[in-house]
């Protein structure tokens, strides 16, 4: 089947290009953290440390070497899986690999929730375009568009944790480091809700476009029921758009996680990232971006595969 | 054929409610086993009538007055559920362009199974055999994209028949079928009507099919749009002496993106004499349009030499000299997109005058009037917007705009393909007249061999990007006709014209080819 | 509220001028404790139960080295439970024995001999020897902050005196040495290679540590008597808001050092004990004495009269604190309570400013940072109050990194934060004597310097008290510090927590007597 | 123009809200930085919405806090829309530029936007509001250009543009006269969405304590500052939260009311 081979090579080519892009991004991030005012030595040493101690610390952190050399060494390490050491001495890999799974759990659940709810809500809106439900959905979608995560999180904590006392206000990690399930509910909602607005509008627009396709008009003339029309004739055509929307949400979900983790004291990588930026810790920041970037690359590949599968027989 | 009529329509008026109605005073009675044909030029409302029969009038229009009963139900007063049941069990509708009306993601087995009355596993197989299609598993597993044009049309028909309908509505059933398949279709429809008692109503352009099987014929009135200006159709434009070659192309090749290994056009030579009209023909995908785009400089990834009066032309229009860009002009294919919807006709025509400063500022309004007259359009059209004009009028304005630059070479890329026969003929005559009066050299890209034979002297036939034959039109066409005649037609475009459903803009993603 | 190394640094040097030998009788004025809202559990203390304690800290800044500088309160709490220093803060004696059961100084106040407690053992059962203590103190002295944590003690000055005693020799007579070793002189086994989680001698043993959270179980063989709790779970919290929410929804039992707003929120809820620890932290406004617009003492006096101290305590600390009298070290037993308390006197302030030729048309910058709850708010309020005497103040907020690099010790007018204020001489030695390590006001005052020397270098009680009095008079009269009030340290605890720690400052880590009602 | 009733229903409340936000500072009953009551006081006559962390009147700060957020977000939205219109049109006419923009958009998917804000604003020490605007524009531009390019593609391949190119028109004229006029509906809708996205970014930046600093009255800062006293006076947090939501909905409805109704346009990301 030459077509399979051609399609796979195209996907790999796409992946290859994106890996290069990730490398470019890492250069940008590493350099920008380094150029921030004050450097890692000043940020992590005690106040009132003497100039000598400062110089010694800079030498220890390698800050006295040229940027290109430091970045080359770090990237070299990246290839062999060694993410270098953070400004405070712990290996970057340990810091990130402990925190990243929690953020992936939070982000993954939020993304899943967002996509499922967005598709169902968009379908409901499409059943009666322009109807009261459709207008209500687009209005609420607009509201959630604008509400930043910390606003949603504050209100959720106030209502469900402090007033109603139903859910824990804070994510408590058990000894093994995993977060109790009911402590996940509010953070996931806080990250998912701001994403809902975008995804509902996108899927709604994709459904509206697909509804104008001739084969949908033909299906209507065949007297198919509304729900069958939606599931068998509209939704398959919309999958690529849903996949694309979900993937672009990943970056935003990660951004949201950073904000929500501080409020729920959630042991994720977001908190590590903000502190790393305060500490001007280039290896740690670049390490986090590398791992999250790799994660997003995987998801992008998945979305491409979905798009390729969805348009398999039609070309 | 006695018994209750399957379709009873009287005094039907369908229209947008404001302005002239599209259909007036329609009366139709079709009994079981009877075949009715609706005939008339395109755009007169045949499809609208067909859709009205099952209560699916196109958006923006409605059935204003009249009585309509189908299979014993009053369609106009039916509730949505009643209407849905009627369409689901009693009426099968097969639209034009089946390639786009079959769900691209469903396999043939599902397409038929979804509507089938007898849900047995071999139901789809029997349906396919009825339509002389191999009921093999391999075919049943295919998706519409993997079927030929003819196969797609028959699968669509099979899907309509799967529900054992009492009434079958067909829109241009014979389009895209070659002569043999059209004969089979006629047989099938006749047998459906006679043996299974199915009432059939079809909108059809194909006189032959109508004469052969239609029991009654419903002609719809002439189109209400403005009458195009035309002189009587001379048998052939008289031949003028071919002048010195103005445009020479040698070893022209072109490809898409960064894949020169799959060229769309390879090693084509082109010779265009001043004042001559040469056509470029060939099936869709042969590279006709690509050649035109290379000539006007819209296709950058091309190679080979192109010379205007001996001076080399850069493949990209932006890099060509101002005078070179003035002397070669393009008339685009799709009338819907040939004019900027946000600009009045006057603004569109004034622009070339300014760009190539053909005349001082104060003379420009007068010049616009002349251009409109040259293409046979009334002066007051100047202040209209394109959406107020018909397809034919828009193509004429596009030609006028090209003339504004007083070019030496005019590339017409399928300018008649979206027009009905009468308008197409008028445009070709207009081009012929302009050629004579202004010594224009014409490159006419078309798949309408009848027009090409009537109005061009030279022809270049392309197939799969290669030059098949070149030379005087009459000899080349005759030679190719003897060689089986199918070389120049293709499965999609019949000898007649593929009517693109008016009003539907090309979907954004449609790639430009052929 | 972000924690910084700075807070730990000042505690390292120890504080309080308590008499070296005799435990001073008079209780400190400010160490009284009130707790409102729910009272503690009634009945005798009972053993058992796991106490879940929340403490502030950044996951990115976690550190397990007892001799390192812990910027997280959570890390310090974990270390203070698992390891023992020589002496610890106490009430009423500000220096109470821990690993050192007793200590005495040579007549010239330079050689201090500490006797080790009987039966002190490491968690792995091996006894504590003077070699372990010497090795630990040498290691502490070698850290970058070592010199300021053991001031005046060179590495050579740390030596064993037999198996159960250690002698510290100071370069200058220093009566405060037992006080200085109170909080960072944690003792480890000699030549411990990996200090993280190494066996300690404290009341609890470290069982597990993960990303800043830790579980410590009771050390039954603790020489100070086995604690009542089975175990202590320490939870790290990035923000006080998250910690307080966790307490309200019952996920932790104690929220340590939460600040005034959380305390007021707790007043509205039942089942929450509010533990107020007065004189916990100072939020002075620093006016540079050496140069700039505040070099003239009259201008400083005018600013000290322009501040509305009661309004500051009410608005910035929500009432959880007391007004102060511009003298640092209010928790010191020898604090001069009889100095005249300054009150708001705008008219006098304006007169003084004009007399000093102060330019009231210009705008001045008051730089602040969010280091402690109430600090940012106090700056904004002070700027408003100064508008009443016609002085335009722009409040500039900086992040902590920039603040400590560009503002601290340099700017003419800024706010700062000092924790645990039970020693006047500590502040004098740290910030006000000429050449002091952290001279925030740039003060060079010979009279003040001689008063300080007399206070620390005499063994005679009478001489020491009069020198301390003289010191505080000068500070009250012309120092650069405008100390408008002292914030209470506030902990919140559920009603079933018995005997929560009640000491100001870092006394809050002492959970060895705490117990849980069932 | 969209249907009459829907037009007024969307426009009037939104316009009122926006005018109220801009004129807010003038309507504030109490000075915005003078404490009028006890910190986190519950609503009373002196302070209808209670006190904030310093006892300042929440209502006054609410009225004063909107103008800055609205103007910053509007500025960012306008710049992003204008730039993306030009770049989008050029992208479809010059495939090379198109591919470059595509790569940039791909890179940005990999970068968490919050980190982007932090890096840009912190590298501009006292950039304050301007730094925040530049960060917001830089982060939003690639996606916006993608939206415009997606809508401009069919126009660029339309006959009249190709005829113009063949006829010798230069790029500038093609963009300004041929492509952009046909993108009016898309651009107006894009402006609405960009505004909503800008409100999100400016508010999140304030939460991360970059950009405008206390004691400025700013809705996002209010939410962060008063989070500690959320149980004492919930209004100190709920009021600004509602305000942010209503402002965004108001502006978006205004834009949708103004945009010529062309059905839901294919919208892309933030």
């Amino acid at each position: 089947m030459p077509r399979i081979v051609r399609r796979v090579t195209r996907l790999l080519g796409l992946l290859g290009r994106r890996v290069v892009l990730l490398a470019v991004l890492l250069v940008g991030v590493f350099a920008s953290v380094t150029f921030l005012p004050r450097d890692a030595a000043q940020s992590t040493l005690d106040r009132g440390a003497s100039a000598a101690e400062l110089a010694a610390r800079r030498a220890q952190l390698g800050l006295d070497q040229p940027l290109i050399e430091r970045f080359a060494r770090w990237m070299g390490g990246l290839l062999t899986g060694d993410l270098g050491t953070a400004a405070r001495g712990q290996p970057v890999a340990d810091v990130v690999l402990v925190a990243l799974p929690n953020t992936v759990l939070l982000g993954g659940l939020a993304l899943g929730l967002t996509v499922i709810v967005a598709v169902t809500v968009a379908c409901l809106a499409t059943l009666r375009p322009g109807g009261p439900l459709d207008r209500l959905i687009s209005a609420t979608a607009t509201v959630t568009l604008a509400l930043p995560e910390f606003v949603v999180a504050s209100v959720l904590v106030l209502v469900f944790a402090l007033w109603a006392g139903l859910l824990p206000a804070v994510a408590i990690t058990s000894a093994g480091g995993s977060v109790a399930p009911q402590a996940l509910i509010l953070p996931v909602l806080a990250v998912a809700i701001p994403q809902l607005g975008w995804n509902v509008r996108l899927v709604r627009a994709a459904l509206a476009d697909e509804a104008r396709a001739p084969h949908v008009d033909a299906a209507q003339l065949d007297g198919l029921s509304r729900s069958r029309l939606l599931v068998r004739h509209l939704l398959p055509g919309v999958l690529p758009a849903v996949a694309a929307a979900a993937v672009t949400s990943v970056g935003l979900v990660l951004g949201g996680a950073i904000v929500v983790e501080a409020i729920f004291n959630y042991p994720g990588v977001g908190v590590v990232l903000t502190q790393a930026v305060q500490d001007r810790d280039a290896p740690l920041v670049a390490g986090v971006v590398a791992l999250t970037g790799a994660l997003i690359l995987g998801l992008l590949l998945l979305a491409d595969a979905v798009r390729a599968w969805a348009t398999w027989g039609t070309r | 054929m006695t018994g209750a009529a399957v379709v009873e329509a009287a005094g039907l008026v369908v229209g947008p409610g404001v302005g002239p109605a599209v259909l007036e005073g329609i009366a139709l009675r079709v009994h079981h086993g009877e075949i009715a044909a609706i005939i008339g030029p395109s755009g007169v409302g045949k499809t609208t009538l067909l859709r009205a029969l099952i209560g699916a009038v196109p958006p923006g229009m409605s059935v204003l007055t009249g009585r309509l009963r189908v299979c014993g139900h009053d369609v106009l007063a039916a509730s949505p559920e009643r209407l849905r049941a009627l369409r689901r069990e009693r009426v099968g509708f097969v639209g034009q362009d089946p390639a786009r009306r079959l769900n691209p993601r469903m396999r043939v087995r599902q397409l038929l199974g979804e509507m089938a009355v007898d849900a047995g596993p071999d139901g789809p197989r029997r349906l396919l055999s009825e339509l002389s299609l191999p009921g093999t598993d391999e075919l049943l597993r295919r998706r519409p994209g993997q079927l030929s044009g003819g196969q797609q049309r028959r699968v669509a028909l099979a899907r309509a028949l799967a529900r054992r309908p009492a009434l079958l509505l067909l829109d241009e059933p014979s389009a895209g079928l070659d002569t043999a398949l059209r004969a089979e279709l006629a047989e099938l429809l006749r047998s459906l009507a006679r043996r299974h008692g199915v009432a059939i109503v079809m909108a059809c352009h194909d006189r032959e099919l109508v004469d052969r099987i239609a029991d009654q014929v419903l002609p719809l009135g002439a189109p209400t749009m403005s009458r195009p200006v035309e002189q009587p159709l001379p048998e052939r434009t008289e031949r003028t002496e071919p002048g010195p070659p103005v445009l020479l192309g040698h070893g022209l090749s072109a490809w898409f993106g960064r894949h020169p290994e799959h060229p769309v056009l390879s090693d084509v030579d082109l010779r265009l004499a001043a004042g001559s009209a040469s056509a470029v023909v060939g099936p869709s995908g042969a590279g006709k349009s690509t050649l035109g785009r290379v000539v006007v400089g819209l296709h950058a990834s091309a190679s080979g030499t192109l010379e205007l009066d001996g001076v080399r032309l850069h493949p990209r229009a932006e890099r060509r000299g101002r005078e070179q860009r003035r002397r070669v002009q393009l008339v685009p294919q799709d009338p819907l997109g040939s004019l900027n919807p946000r600009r009045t006709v006057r603004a569109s025509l004034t622009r070339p005058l300014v760009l190539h400063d053909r005349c001082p500022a104060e003379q420009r309004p007068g010049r616009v009037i002349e251009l409109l007259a040259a293409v046979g359009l009334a002066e007051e059209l100047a202040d209209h917007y394109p959406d107020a004009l018909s397809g034919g009028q828009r193509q004429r304005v596009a030609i006028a705009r090209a003339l504004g630059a007083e070019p030496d070479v005019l590339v017409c890329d399928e300018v008649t393909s979206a027009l009905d026969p009468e308008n197409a003929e008028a445009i070709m005559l207009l081009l012929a007249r302009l050629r004579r009066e202004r010594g224009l050299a014409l490159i006419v890209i078309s798949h309408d061999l009848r027009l090409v034979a009537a109005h061009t002297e030279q022809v270049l036939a392309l197939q799969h990007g290669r030059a098949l034959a070149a030379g005087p039109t009459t000899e080349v066409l005759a030679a190719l006709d003897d060689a089986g005649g199918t070389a120049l037609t293709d499965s999609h475009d019949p000898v007649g014209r593929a009517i693109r459903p008016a009003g539907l803009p090309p979907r954004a993603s449609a790639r430009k080819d052929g | 509220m972000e924690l910084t190394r700075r807070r730990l640094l000042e505690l390292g040097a120890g504080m309080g001028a308590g008499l070296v030998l005799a435990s001073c009788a008079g209780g400190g004025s400010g160490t009284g404790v009130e707790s409102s809202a729910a009272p503690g559990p009634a009945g005798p203390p009972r053993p058992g139960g796991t106490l879940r304690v929340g403490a502030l800290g950044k996951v990115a800044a976690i550190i397990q080295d007892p001799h390192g500088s812990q910027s997280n309160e959570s890390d310090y709490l974990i270390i203070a439970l698992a390891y023992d220093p020589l002496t610890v803060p106490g009430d009423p004696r500000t220096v109470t024995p821990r690993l050192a059961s007793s200590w005495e100084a040579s007549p010239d106040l330079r050689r201090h001999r500490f006797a080790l407690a009987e039966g002190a053992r490491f968690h792995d059962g091996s006894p504590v020897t003077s070699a372990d203590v010497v090795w630990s103190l040498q290691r502490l002295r070698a850290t970058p902050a070592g010199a300021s944590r053991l001031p005046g003690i060179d590495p050579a000055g740390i030596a064993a005196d037999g198996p159960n005693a250690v002698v510290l020799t100071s370069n200058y007579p220093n009566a405060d040495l037992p006080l200085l070793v109170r909080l960072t002189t944690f003792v480890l086994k000699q030549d411990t290679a990996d200090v993280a989680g190494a066996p300690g001698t404290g009341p609890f043993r470290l069982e597990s540590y993960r990303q800043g959270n830790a579980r410590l179980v009771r050390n039954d063989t603790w020489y100070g008597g086995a604690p009542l709790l089975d175990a202590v779970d320490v939870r790290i919290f990035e923000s006080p808001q998250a910690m307080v929410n966790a307490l309200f929804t019952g996920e932790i039992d104690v929220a340590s050092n939460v600040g005034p707003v959380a305390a007021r929120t707790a007043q509205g809820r039942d089942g929450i004990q509010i533990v107020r620890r007065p004189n916990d932290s100072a939020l002075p406004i620093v006016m540079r004495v050496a140069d700039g617009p505040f070099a003239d003492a009259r201008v400083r006096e005018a600013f000290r009269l322009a501040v509305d101290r009661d309004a500051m305590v009410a608005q910035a600390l929500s009432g959880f604190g007391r007004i102060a009298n511009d003298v640092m070290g209010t928790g010191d037993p020898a604090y001069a309570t009889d100095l005249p308390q300054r009150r708001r006197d705008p008219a006098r302030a304006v007169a003084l400013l004009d007399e000093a030729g102060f330019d009231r048309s210009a705008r001045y910058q008051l730089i602040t940072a969010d280091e402690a709850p109430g600090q940012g708010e106090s700056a904004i309020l002070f700027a408003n109050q100064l508008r009443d005497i016609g002085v335009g103040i722009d409040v500039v907020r900086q992040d902590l990194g920039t603040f400590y690099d560009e503002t601290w010790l340099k700017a003419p007018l800024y706010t700062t934060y000092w924790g645990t204020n039970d020693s006047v001489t500590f502040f004098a030695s740290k910030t006000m004597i000429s050449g002091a390590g952290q001279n925030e006001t740039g003060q060079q005052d010979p009279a003040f310097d001689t008063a300080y020397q007399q206070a620390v270098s005499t063994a005679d009680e009478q001489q020491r008290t009069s020198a301390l009095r003289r010191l505080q008079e000068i500070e009250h009269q012309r120092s650069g510090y405008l100390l408008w009030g002292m914030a209470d340290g506030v902990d919140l605890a559920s009603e079933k927590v018995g005997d929560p720690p009640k000491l100001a400052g870092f006394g809050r880590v002492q959970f060895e007597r705490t117990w849980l009602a069932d | 123009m969209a249907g009459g009733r829907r037009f007024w229903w969307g426009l009037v409340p939104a316009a009122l809200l926006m005018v109220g936000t801009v004129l807010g500072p003038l309507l504030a009953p109490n000075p915005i930085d003078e404490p009028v009551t006890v910190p986190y006081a519950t609503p009373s006559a002196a302070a209808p919405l209670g006190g904030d962390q310093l006892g300042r009147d929440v209502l006054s700060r609410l009225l004063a806090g909107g103008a800055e957020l609205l103007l910053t977000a509007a500025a960012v939205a306008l710049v992003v829309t204008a730039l993306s219109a030009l770049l989008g049109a050029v992208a479809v006419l010059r495939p090379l530029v198109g591919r470059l923009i595509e790569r940039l958009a791909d890179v940005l998917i990999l970068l968490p936007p919050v980190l982007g804000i932090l890096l840009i604003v912190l590298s501009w020490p006292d950039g304050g509001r301007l730094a925040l605007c530049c960060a917001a524009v830089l982060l939003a531009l690639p996606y916006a250009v993608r939206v415009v390019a997606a809508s401009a593609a069919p126009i660029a391949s339309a006959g009249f543009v190709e005829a113009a190119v063949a006829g010798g028109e230069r790029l500038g004229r093609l963009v300004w006269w041929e492509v952009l006029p046909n993108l009016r509906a898309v651009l107006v809708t894009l402006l609405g969405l960009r505004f909503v996205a800008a409100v999100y970014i400016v508010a999140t930046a304030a939460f991360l304590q970059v950009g405008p600093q206390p004691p400025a009255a700013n809705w996002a800062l209010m939410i962060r500052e008063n989070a500690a006293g959320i149980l004492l006076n919930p209004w100190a947090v709920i009021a600004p939260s509602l305000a942010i939501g209503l402002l965004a909905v108001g502006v978006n409805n205004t834009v949708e009311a103004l945009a010529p109704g062309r059905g839901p346009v294919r919208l892309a990301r933030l």
Side-chain angles (χ1 to χ4, degrees), chain C residues 301-430:
Chain C
E301 179 67 15
F303 268 46
R304 284 169 154 183
L305 290 169
V307 71
D308 179 346
R309 295 166 193 260
D310 297 303
M312 291 289 269
V313 169
Q315 306 285 17
L317 303 179
S318 301
F320 280 80
R322 280 194 198 74
I323 60 169
N325 198 15
D326 302 335
V327 173
M328 301 290 279
T330 50
D332 189 328
Y335 177 71
T337 51
D338 54 358
L339 286 173
Q341 171 64 48
R342 273 202 186 90
R343 289 284 168 206
R344 181 176 167 78
D345 184 353
R348 177 96 179 80
V350 169
L352 275 170
L353 285 181
D354 294 343
E355 188 184 314
F358 182 80
D359 172 9
R360 281 199 280 149
S361 62
R363 292 193 70 81
Y364 298 87
Q365 276 200 343
L366 168 58
I367 301 173
T368 182
D370 278 339
E371 188 172 3
Q375 183 173 1
E377 291 87 343
S378 65
I380 296 171
L381 287 172
F382 182 59
N384 294 343
Q385 289 166 9
L386 281 180
R387 198 181 299 135
D388 304 344
I389 60 167
V391 174
I393 297 279
D394 295 331
V395 175
V396 172
R397 190 198 153 285
Q398 290 178 343
D399 67 276
L400 285 171
T402 321
F403 180 80
Y404 278 113
D405 287 349
E406 292 156 14
T407 307
W408 193 47
L409 309 180
K410 304 185 183 78
L413 185 68
Y414 56 94
T415 64
T416 179
Y417 164 85
W418 287 96
T420 315
N421 299 272
D422 57 0
S423 160
V424 172
T425 51
F426 161 75
F427 280 106
S429 71
K430 274 305 220 190

Side-chain angles (χ1 to χ4, degrees), chain B residues 280-321:
Chain B
V280 179
V281 294
S284 71
K288 305 197 292 291
S289 273
T290 310
L291 180 59
R293 288 165 61 81
V294 168
V295 168
V296 293
L298 285 172
H299 199 95
S301 34
S303 66
T305 59
L306 195 63
E307 286 165 5
L308 185 64
D309 282 349
V311 175
R312 235 172 101 65
L313 282 178
H314 191 279
R316 287 168 61 95
E318 304 85 50
R319 296 257 174 67
R320 296 180 177 177

Side-chain angles (χ1 to χ4, degrees), chain C residues 2 241 245 248 261-262 264-266 268-269 314-316 318 370 376-378 380-381 384-385 387-388 395 397 399, chain D residues 33-42 53-56 122 209 213-215 224-232:
Chain C
E2 289 162 48
Q241 186 55 34
N245 290 344
F248 289 158
V261 172
R264 273 190 60 215
T265 319
R269 293 175 77 90
Q315 306 285 17
S318 301
D370 278 339
E377 291 87 343
S378 65
I380 296 171
L381 287 172
N384 294 343
Q385 289 166 9
R387 198 181 299 135
D388 304 344
V395 175
R397 190 198 153 285
D399 67 276
Chain D
D33 51 11
E34 283 291 325
V36 292
T37 166
V38 173
Y40 296 114
T42 50
Q53 62 172 346
L54 280 171
R56 295 169 293 196
L122 288 178
Q209 292 184 333
Q213 297 296 334
R224 181 183 177 104
E225 285 165 357
N226 302 330
I230 197 166
L231 278 170
L232 295 169

Side-chain angles (χ1 to χ4, degrees), chain C residues 465-518:
Chain C
T465 312
S466 67
L468 276 178
R469 168 82 188 160
R470 181 88 190 88
L471 193 77
Q472 293 176 62
E473 272 162 16
I474 299 171
E475 189 174 334
H476 179 258
Q477 193 190 11
R478 56 176 184 269
S479 88
Y481 282 99
L482 188 166
L483 186 63
W484 47 269
M486 288 301 298
D488 292 348
V490 181
D491 297 345
L492 298 179
S494 81
E495 52 192 354
K496 55 187 178 53
V497 175
D499 292 334
K502 296 193 175 49
L503 274 177
F506 281 81
R508 60 173 169 268
V509 298
Q510 296 168 353
F511 282 96
E512 53 268 20
R513 293 293 158 259
T514 308
W515 54 281
L516 273 172
D518 47 23

